[in-house]
Amino acid sequence: MSDSLPCQLYLISPLETGGDFAQQLRKALEAGPVAAFQFRVKDIDPEEAARLAAPLKSICDEFDVAFIVNDDIDLAKQLGADGVHLGQSDESLKTARTELGHDIQIGITCHDSRHLAMEAGEGGANYVAFGAFFPTRTKETYHRPELDILKWWSAIMEIPCVAIGGITPENCRPLIDAGADFIAVSGGVWNDPEGPAQAISRFSAILESR
C-alpha cells in the first residue's frame, strides 16, 4: 500500500468466505485494480480461519494485491500476510509491531477521532482508517466522521488514510475529493445486485477519472 498514488480501492471480505467465495474474489480482482484485500471473519476456529484464508491469499498474491488480516496477529504471522488491521479494542500497535516486524503493514481503526489518528501515526501505524462515513450493515457502528477529517489528515500527515463505512460507487466521490488515499468497501461490492465484478468496474471508472 502506498501513499504516493491517487485514491485506490481497499476490498474487505464478507464474513462468509467459504463455498465459492474464492471464485468470486478472483472475478472481482479481474474486473479492476484493487490495492488491498482484508480477510475479516469473526468467531471461528483459528484452524478454520487459516484454511479459509490460505487460498484467498494465493489469489491476492497472483494479482499483486496486499493481503491484510483483520484483528488476528497470529494468523497474519502464520500466513505471511502483508499486513494486519487492528481496531481500538484489539491487540496494541506496539505488540503487533514487535510480533510481526517492520516489513508488515499495520492499519489502525480511528473512528472519527483526530486524537486516535495522531496516536496511531506517531506510534508507527502504516495507515489510519476513519469511518463509518455512511450507514452500513457490515458491522455495528457508533461513529460518523465528517469529510473534514480526511482533509485535515491529508494536509498534515504523509501516512495514508482509509475511508470506510457504507461506501458505494454512487457516494464515494466526496471521500476521494476530500483526500482519502483508499476507500474501503465490502457490502458495496459483495452485495451489488449486478455482481461484485460490475461493482469493481464502476469503482475503477470513478477512481481512474479523478
Side-chain angles (χ1 to χ4, degrees):
M1 297 172 68
S2 167
D3 62 345
S4 61
L5 297 170
C7 187
Q8 300 174 81
L9 198 58
Y10 182 139
L11 188 57
I12 299 176
S13 77
L15 291 177
E16 297 294 331
T17 57
D20 67 347
F21 179 72
Q23 288 81 8
Q24 292 182 47
L25 176 60
R26 177 177 293 279
K27 288 179 181 177
L29 298 186
E30 287 172 346
V34 173
F37 171 78
Q38 184 185 126
F39 178 72
R40 178 180 177 271
V41 297
K42 299 291 181 182
D43 302 322
I44 68 171
D45 178 87
E47 289 186 6
E48 175 69 0
R51 184 188 70 79
L52 291 169
L56 306 181
K57 182 180 183 300
S58 294
I59 293 169
C60 288
D61 290 346
E62 182 182 335
F63 285 87
D64 197 25
V65 173
F67 187 85
I68 312 294
V69 172
N70 180 269
D71 289 359
D72 193 330
I73 292 172
D74 290 337
L75 181 60
K77 184 188 294 187
Q78 178 182 343
L79 294 172
D82 300 294
V84 65
H85 183 88
L86 302 175
Q88 288 296 321
S89 60
D90 302 321
E91 296 181 74
S92 73
L93 172 57
K94 185 176 181 181
T95 298
R97 186 61 75 199
T98 300
E99 288 285 319
L100 298 173
H102 289 278
D103 294 331
I104 293 291
Q105 302 273 326
I106 300 178
I108 302 292
T109 293
C110 298
H111 304 302
D112 58 354
S113 172
R114 300 184 183 205
H115 173 70
L116 291 177
M118 292 297 292
E119 274 193 342
E122 291 166 1
N126 297 99
Y127 70 87
V128 299
F130 297 113
F133 281 94
F134 304 105
T136 174
R137 290 177 294 185
T138 300
K139 64 181 292 187
E140 194 168 7
T141 58
Y142 303 96
H143 308 275
R144 189 62 57 81
E146 300 293 333
L147 290 174
D148 283 351
I149 202 167
L150 299 173
K151 297 175 182 176
W152 164 77
W153 183 262
S154 61
I156 67 165
M157 298 293 283
E158 293 186 3
I159 299 168
C161 64
V162 177
I164 191 169
I167 300 172
T168 67
E170 291 71 36
N171 66 21
C172 67
R173 172 61 70 180
L175 302 172
I176 299 167
D177 292 342
D181 297 288
F182 299 88
I183 50 172
V185 296
S186 183
V189 166
W190 307 115
N191 299 334
D192 187 279
E194 296 183 19
Q198 286 296 324
I200 294 284
S201 294
R202 293 201 301 280
F203 274 116
S204 297
I206 295 164
L207 292 167
E208 289 168 5
S209 68
R210 184 185 178 197

